[in-house]
Amino acid sequence: MKTLSKVVLALILTIGLALPAIADTPGDTDKNGALTVPWDEFKILLDLDADKIIMSVETFHKLLAQTGLKYPPTHLIREGNVVLTRAQFESIVSQMKAPVDGATGRPVDYLITKATYDGKMNTFSTSFTGTFKIHVLKDDAYVKIPVIPMAIPLEDITVDGKPALVISEGGYHTIVLSKAGQYTVETSFSLASSLDKGPNKIDLAIAQTPITLLTLELPLKDIDVEIPQAQQVLTKPVGNKTVVKAAIATGNNFSIRWRKKVEQIEKIPAKLHADLYHLLSIEDGAIVINTDVSLNILHSEIDAVRLLIPDNLNVLAVSGEGIGEWQELTQDKRKYILVPFTYGKKGSATIRITSEIPATETGMANAFSGIRVDAAVRETGYIGVVLNTSAEVTVADSDGLEIVAAQKLPRQIVSKSPKPLTMGFKYLKHPYSLVLDVKKHDKVAVPVATINSANVVTLFTEDGKIVHRLVYQVKNSAKQFLQIRMPSEADVWSVLVDNQPVESSVNDKGELLVPLIRSRQNGNNLQTFPVEVIYAVVQEKFDWLGSRGSTLPAVDLMISQIMWSVYLPNDYTYHHFSSSLEIEQMARGVNIFAGAKRQYNEQMMRELARSDAIELDALAPDKLKGVYGDEEYESRFRNIPMPAESQKAQIIREIEFGGTISKEAISTVPNSLGVLPIQIQVPTSGQVYRFARTIINSDDPLTFEVTYSRDWAAGMLKWVLIVLGLVIVWLSRRKFQKPWRWLKESIKTTVEIIRKNRAAIERAAKSTMTPFVLFGLAVVSMTVSVTPALVFFLLFWMSAAYHVMNFRKRKLAERAKLRAGRAQEATDK
């Protein structure tokens, strides 16, 4: 028992509760009633100087809850109790958290728990007595409590039967209380009302309370009373009066309305008015009909509605608010569906029906005669037709229908279809019919995958090896493999899809089958993913003179755009390129001696290729010019506009080429499963030439061929041709004497003419009108011939320059003369 008492006392002290049993123990008590015990006395009380502390499991877990530890420390269990060493117990106590002050504080200063309004209606007013149950929680302070809105004139207000302190504040009559405790506040007030004339209602603004009760005595009999804010209103006739009682929902006001009771008359049968909205969706093999049946039920409630349907109509689903389990039945050789309601329906109701009409074998004469609401007084409707297939739909016959423009159909039909409607009809009564002919056409196969762009880099080595790197940006929705018609002698090094190695295969046609993934969807668009193939072929080595070419493998997808970069060995001159693609301008034509060369710095290229991901923005023009030997790094094509982004993407592929070959080349090992990475070092120096093309089908050839020679051979040919030309000129010198004499005579005659007319030419040149005359002649000559127009424009600029220089010379002379005059004056003085 002694041990148990210690355990209980330890728990009580730990969780911070009062200790009435030891209230006389020396210590301090704060204003909140918490007892503080000195640590020395606490140790004596629990015998903490002992080696072990014993407590129940429940107490142990309560102590742990005060620390917030997720897992209990190591402890012993003996005879159902927890045994802790003194060090373990002190460790737990040191981790205990003090209770938050706000957790034990009062939530509010006061509470209005209940309000009761007792009213009695007189001829011109209604008197009310409001009784409020108020609990003040705050002590030794004044508390302001709003009870009645200021819009209501008070007659009297008391607190526990004594006059109350009242102020008007914040739109309310507010009482002031100074002590904690429970109070009863009574108020008396009156509202204007009339028994003789309307309106027959009373509106009362109130303060929000959890419980609000109303009792009202009306000096009227045989009346119906409504209080919208009350869930239930009880009325009790007492003589010529009516007593109303109600519980009001929490709010700021309530209204009381009354009227004389209407004499009960014989129940009138319900009347149905129906508007039907049909959307006919033409699908493959069927016409799917989505129908909204909008009912207006008058006079009385109905428990079910019966709909007449055509024989060729199959109902798939019936839904709507308060719709029970529908059933299909046949009566008098006519098909009906019975739609029950889960409760009596009156007013507006909507039934949604999904049905279909199987298409005929030929697709002709698909009749729709509508859904009819049985026992409807009036029924009208609209029909819209939408195509969800490639078939052609025409109206074979219609009866009882009026054609309506599709854009003028009600929103109940238009909003059901994401596609534009093709036909619209309206009917005012039954019977009606619509016969549609659905003519099916052969469907056009559309590609399920495409290649947005292809970037190809090909390296020719001087010893005859050719390495290709093909990167296709693919969009794929359903295609399983990309088929690539590889050369029979090709050695495939690497196949990657979305930057991940994959195992490819070869079909019986020798085509490489690359497994594809499905493109990720971004809204309505498919994102592209890269498919990369690296392979090599071997040809004869380069000779001192000859031609060399290559053909890219065809793929079974259309390519929107391709750029092909070709690395050719240095120390060669490439005289002429021919290709099924467009050749960049720097490589067009025939270059007999030496064409333009784009040679890049391999060391700088490898520095750029070291980064794991090369960004377009990081490729500054100065860096690119350094890579390509200060030559123009961009290509210009005459007939194919290549955006800067596409060209930079191709340049990235070129820069990545060396790193990809050396770091990521993958080769299939014979007689083994899977693929193994190997390190292959391939020199990537050379001259770079580019080719481009758009819209490539699978049968379009992608080839190029170049005629080349060694640089020394081209240089030798150049000097041979120069010497040969000089020899020809020397041997034919007599033939050039006559043209030479004519040229000399022409120049001499021209000089004589200028000399004789020198004065006139000088006057014309000095005239300020000469530039204007020459400019006018140039403009007029442009309509006749370009050559004289250019001559006159040249003379115009020469004349304008002459006059500007002459004007400047005059100004300088005038300034010099002025300075000389001033200097002379200063000397004279």
Side-chain angles (χ1 to χ4, degrees):
M1 292 298 292
K2 182 178 179 181
T3 303
L4 181 60
S5 300
K6 291 182 180 181
V7 171
V8 173
L9 288 175
L11 174 61
I12 295 173
L13 289 174
T14 303
I15 61 178
L17 299 177
L19 296 176
I22 58 171
D24 296 333
T25 304
D28 298 326
T29 305
D30 63 14
K31 61 181 181 180
N32 294 326
L35 180 64
T36 303
V37 179
W39 175 250
D40 294 336
E41 297 183 13
F42 181 67
K43 290 196 296 180
I44 296 172
L45 179 64
L46 295 184
D47 193 16
L48 294 183
D49 290 332
D51 293 336
K52 296 181 180 180
I53 307 298
I54 301 174
M55 65 182 69
S56 67
V57 176
E58 181 181 0
T59 303
F60 177 67
H61 286 293
K62 288 182 179 180
L63 286 175
L64 290 180
Q66 299 286 326
T67 65
L69 295 175
K70 292 184 178 180
Y71 303 103
T74 304
H75 60 276
L76 297 176
I77 301 293
R78 182 181 299 168
E79 298 179 356
N81 294 323
V82 176
V83 180
L84 299 174
T85 65
R86 183 173 59 183
Q88 290 175 331
F89 180 77
E90 290 179 353
S91 175
I92 293 175
V93 171
S94 65
Q95 298 181 66
M96 291 174 61
K97 300 176 182 178
V100 181
D101 293 340
T104 58
R106 56 181 173 271
V108 291
D109 293 339
Y110 66 90
L111 295 171
I112 304 178
T113 58
K114 184 177 180 181
T116 303
Y117 297 91
D118 295 317
K120 182 176 182 181
M121 188 175 184
N122 303 312
T123 304
F124 300 106
S125 64
T126 302
S127 301
F128 282 95
T129 298
T131 304
F132 303 89
K133 296 295 184 182
I134 298 177
H135 296 263
V136 178
L137 306 180
K138 189 174 183 180
D139 197 7
D140 297 332
Y142 288 97
V143 179
K144 298 177 181 179
I145 305 172
V147 289
I148 294 292
M150 289 176 57
I152 299 175
L154 280 177
E155 297 175 358
D156 190 19
I157 182 168
T158 62
V159 177
D160 292 338
K162 299 177 182 180
L165 299 176
V166 185
I167 61 174
S168 296
E169 188 176 79
Y172 279 85
H173 297 299
T174 303
I175 63 172
V176 180
L177 300 174
S178 62
K179 295 182 179 180
Q182 180 177 340
Y183 298 90
T184 301
V185 177
E186 290 188 359
T187 61
S188 299
F189 56 89
S190 298
L191 297 178
S193 61
S194 177
L195 289 174
D196 299 331
K197 57 181 180 180
N200 296 332
K201 69 173 184 176
I202 299 174
D203 295 324
L204 180 59
I206 60 174
Q208 285 192 13
T209 52
I211 301 174
T212 305
L213 303 178
L214 170 68
T215 302
L216 178 62
E217 183 181 294
L218 298 172
L220 301 170
K221 64 178 182 178
D222 299 330
I223 60 173
D224 289 328
V225 180
E226 293 181 2
I227 303 177
Q229 294 80 11
Q231 294 293 329
Q232 186 176 7
V233 179
L234 300 178
T235 59
K236 180 180 180 181
V238 180
N240 292 329
K241 301 177 181 180
T242 302
V243 178
V244 180
K245 292 186 178 183
I248 308 300
T250 301
N252 293 318
N253 59 76
F254 63 86
S255 299
I256 308 167
R257 299 181 179 89
W258 65 90
R259 64 175 182 271
K260 286 189 173 292
K261 288 186 177 180
V262 180
E263 296 182 3
Q264 294 290 335
I265 60 176
E266 185 180 354
K267 190 174 182 180
I268 302 175
K271 288 186 178 180
L272 293 180
H273 290 215
D275 294 308
L276 279 73
Y277 305 95
H278 305 282
L279 176 64
L280 277 61
S281 177
I282 310 301
E283 309 283 350
D284 289 330
I287 301 176
V288 178
I289 302 119
N290 289 287
T291 304
D292 282 0
V293 181
S294 180
L295 300 175
N296 187 15
I297 306 167
L298 305 177
H299 303 315
S300 301
E301 295 180 349
I302 61 174
D303 298 324
V305 67
R306 194 168 67 164
L307 305 174
L308 176 64
I309 60 175
D311 292 336
N312 63 340
L313 188 72
N314 298 324
V315 179
L316 304 178
V318 179
S319 62
E321 183 181 355
I323 301 297
E325 185 175 353
W326 62 279
Q327 54 183 321
E328 186 174 324
L329 50 90
T330 302
Q331 186 176 351
D332 298 332
K333 298 182 180 180
R334 306 179 75 178
K335 288 176 63 177
Y336 293 89
I337 58 171
L338 182 63
V339 183
F341 299 121
T342 55
Y343 57 90
K345 287 277 188 177
K346 185 180 179 182
S348 298
T350 301
I351 302 173
R352 297 177 182 87
I353 303 173
T354 303
S355 57
E356 69 173 10
I357 298 176
T360 59
E361 293 182 1
T362 59
M364 313 299 283
N366 299 280
F368 174 68
S369 55
I371 298 174
R372 183 172 183 174
V373 180
D374 194 23
V377 176
R378 177 188 59 81
E379 179 185 329
T380 60
Y382 291 86
I383 301 172
V385 180
V386 63
L387 277 174
N388 285 328
T389 182
S390 59
E392 178 184 359
V393 178
T394 57
V395 178
D397 188 21
S398 65
D399 184 24
L401 294 173
E402 175 185 346
I403 297 177
V404 178
Q407 60 270 24
K408 292 185 178 181
L409 288 170
R411 63 174 181 81
Q412 290 91 332
I413 296 178
V414 177
S415 61
K416 290 182 180 181
S417 174
K419 293 185 177 181
L421 305 181
T422 58
M423 303 177 190
F425 304 92
K426 176 183 179 180
Y427 70 90
L428 299 177
K429 61 179 181 179
H430 283 273
Y432 71 86
S433 66
L434 175 65
V435 181
L436 298 176
D437 284 348
V438 182
K439 185 178 181 181
K440 296 182 180 179
H441 300 286
D442 293 336
K443 292 186 178 181
V444 177
V446 295
V448 295
T450 184
I451 297 176
N452 268 22
S453 63
N455 299 95
V456 182
V457 180
T458 299
L459 170 68
F460 283 80
T461 62
E462 194 171 0
D463 60 355
K465 297 181 179 64
I466 305 175
V467 181
H468 297 273
R469 184 193 184 208
L470 317 173
V471 180
Y472 302 106
Q473 297 296 333
V474 180
K475 281 185 179 180
N476 180 40
S477 61
K479 190 172 176 61
Q480 187 176 3
F481 292 100
L482 175 65
Q483 300 178 19
I484 306 177
R485 292 197 287 271
M486 304 290 291
S488 57
E489 68 276 11
D491 181 16
V492 179
W493 289 0
S494 170
V495 180
L496 289 87
V497 176
D498 199 18
N499 301 317
Q500 299 297 322
V502 296
E503 294 187 7
S504 56
S505 56
V506 179
N507 62 12
D508 53 0
K509 298 180 181 179
E511 298 173 332
L512 182 69
L513 302 181
V514 180
L516 298 178
I517 62 173
R518 181 180 173 84
S519 294
R520 288 178 285 272
Q521 191 127 6
N522 184 12
N524 293 328
N525 298 323
L526 295 177
Q527 294 181 346
T528 61
F529 59 88
V531 174
E532 178 182 322
V533 177
I534 299 177
Y535 72 95
V537 294
V538 179
Q539 295 182 354
E540 296 179 357
K541 67 178 182 179
F542 276 67
D543 206 343
W544 68 274
L545 177 67
S547 63
R548 188 56 52 92
S550 181
T551 300
L552 293 182
V555 296
D556 63 338
L557 293 178
M558 184 190 73
I559 304 175
S560 299
Q561 172 184 291
I562 186 172
M563 283 197 72
W564 186 6
S565 300
V566 178
Y567 289 71
L568 293 171
N570 290 322
D571 301 329
Y572 287 86
T573 298
Y574 300 98
H575 302 290
H576 178 259
F577 288 89
S578 60
S579 175
S580 60
L581 293 80
E582 181 168 351
I583 308 168
E584 62 176 324
Q585 289 191 6
M586 68 173 294
R588 295 176 70 94
V590 179
N591 305 305
I592 297 178
F593 299 116
K597 295 183 179 181
R598 185 190 289 114
Q599 293 175 313
Y600 63 88
N601 187 322
E602 183 177 356
Q603 181 178 356
M604 185 171 289
M605 180 273 292
R606 291 190 179 278
E607 290 178 359
L608 290 179
R610 286 194 188 109
S611 60
D612 294 334
I614 303 175
E615 301 291 340
L616 286 176
D617 296 338
L619 297 177
D622 56 342
K623 292 183 179 180
L624 290 175
K625 286 186 178 180
V627 170
Y628 291 98
D630 294 328
E631 294 293 332
E632 184 66 32
Y633 61 88
E634 290 186 344
S635 298
R636 303 182 185 277
F637 297 92
R638 184 176 300 176
N639 300 314
I640 299 178
M642 279 292 170
E645 291 77 7
S646 300
Q647 295 223 31
K648 281 195 173 183
Q650 182 66 15
I651 292 170
I652 287 176
R653 298 292 182 264
E654 296 172 6
I655 295 175
E656 291 176 342
F657 182 68
T660 300
I661 294 299
S662 62
K663 293 187 295 185
E664 300 178 3
I666 298 176
S667 176
T668 302
V669 179
N671 302 322
S672 65
L673 297 176
V675 293
L676 294 174
I678 60 173
Q679 297 292 333
I680 300 178
Q681 298 293 337
V682 178
T684 53
S685 60
Q687 304 175 37
V688 181
Y689 300 94
R690 301 190 185 107
F691 310 86
R693 186 171 173 177
T694 57
I695 314 299
I696 302 100
N697 295 318
S698 57
D699 296 332
D700 295 339
L702 299 174
T703 62
F704 97 96
E705 189 172 356
V706 61
T707 302
Y708 67 90
S709 67
R710 296 283 298 197
D711 284 346
W712 62 264
M716 182 180 296
L717 177 62
K718 177 175 66 175
W719 286 110
V720 168
L721 291 177
I722 291 173
V723 171
L724 181 61
L726 292 175
V727 170
I728 293 174
V729 170
W730 173 255
L731 295 177
S732 305
R733 61 186 182 279
R734 295 182 178 179
K735 295 182 181 180
F736 293 106
Q737 290 180 356
K738 185 176 180 180
W740 175 251
R741 286 195 296 270
W742 175 85
L743 181 61
K744 288 175 61 177
E745 290 295 330
S746 299
I747 294 173
K748 184 177 181 181
T749 303
T750 303
V751 171
E752 288 296 328
I753 293 174
I754 293 175
R755 186 181 300 169
K756 290 180 181 180
N757 300 279
R758 184 172 182 176
I761 293 174
E762 288 181 353
R763 287 196 301 271
K766 293 180 179 179
S767 174
T768 55
M769 292 299 297
T770 300
F772 299 99
V773 173
L774 291 173
F775 183 78
L777 290 173
V779 173
V780 173
S781 301
M782 288 182 64
T783 61
V784 179
S785 176
V786 177
T787 302
L790 293 176
V791 173
F792 283 125
F793 265 118
L794 178 62
L795 294 175
F796 161 74
W797 285 112
M798 292 173 63
S799 177
Y802 170 78
H803 281 282
V804 170
M805 294 175 63
N806 196 20
F807 175 77
R808 184 180 179 189
K809 189 182 295 183
R810 289 199 307 270
K811 286 294 182 182
L812 291 175
E814 290 176 359
R815 291 177 183 175
K817 185 177 181 181
L818 182 60
R819 284 195 298 268
R822 290 176 179 175
Q824 185 64 36
E825 290 178 359
T827 303
D828 294 341
K829 290 180 180 180

